[in-house]
């Protein structure tokens, strides 16, 4: 995982630096994106391992992995969007929504990187949430998710009998 992420971002950074030497100013953001991508990848790998131990066949494991991605990346955000629209600026939108974003590893990753790079204006949909959540909370969420996922995978694999 680390090798793949570092290679991919390293090549992208090298091309950016070659095309525009001033792009070196973005190196801290690229490094931050690299380590948070490794943590996000570890989160989904751990969750995938845990789910695969529940499947009896490889096709079932693949289906569970796709379901995890669909739920965590697509449906969770659609549900939050529906709740924000229905709430119309009320309690959910102002108080619970920012915390609900931290409850999803993909959203926590997005929030941390946007807030840390001060680029939240570029993503107006989460700008308010990124500004409402202290940077340490989104960083903590990004760091805790891989530990939770790998703990779940370890527990799930201990129940598997060869």
């Amino acid at each position: 995982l680390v090798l793949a992420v570092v290679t991919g971002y390293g090549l992208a950074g090298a091309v950016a630096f070659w095309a525009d030497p001033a792009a070196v100013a973005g190196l801290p953001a690229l490094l931050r994106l690299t380590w948070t991508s490794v943590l996000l990848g570890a989160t989904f790998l751990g969750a995938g391992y845990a789910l695969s131990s529940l499947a009896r066949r490889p096709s079932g494991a693949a289906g569970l992995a796709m379901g995890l991605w669909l739920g965590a990346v697509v449906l969770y955000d659609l549900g939050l969007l529906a709740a924000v629209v229905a709430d119309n600026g009320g309690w959910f939108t102002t108080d619970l929504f920012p915390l609900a974003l931290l409850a999803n590893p993909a959203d926590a990753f997005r929030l941390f990187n946007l807030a840390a790079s001060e680029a939240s204006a570029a993503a107006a949909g989460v700008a308010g949430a990124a500004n409402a959540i202290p940077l340490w909370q989104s960083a903590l969420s990004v760091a805790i998710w891989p530990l939770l996922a790998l703990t779940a995978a370890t527990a799930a694999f201990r129940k598997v009998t060869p």
Side-chain angles (χ1 to χ4, degrees), residues 57-133:
R57 296 179 312 195
S59 61
L64 287 172
M66 288 188 293
L68 170 68
W69 175 83
L70 182 66
V73 176
V74 178
L75 298 178
Y76 188 85
D77 285 346
L78 283 176
L80 288 180
L81 178 62
V84 166
V85 169
D87 186 49
N88 199 23
W91 173 81
F92 178 85
T93 303
T94 58
D95 296 331
L96 189 58
F97 177 68
L99 297 176
L101 289 172
L102 294 180
N104 181 316
D107 287 332
F109 167 84
R110 194 172 318 140
L111 281 177
F112 175 74
N113 282 293
L114 286 172
S117 68
E118 299 175 358
S120 57
V126 293
N131 292 330
I133 296 172

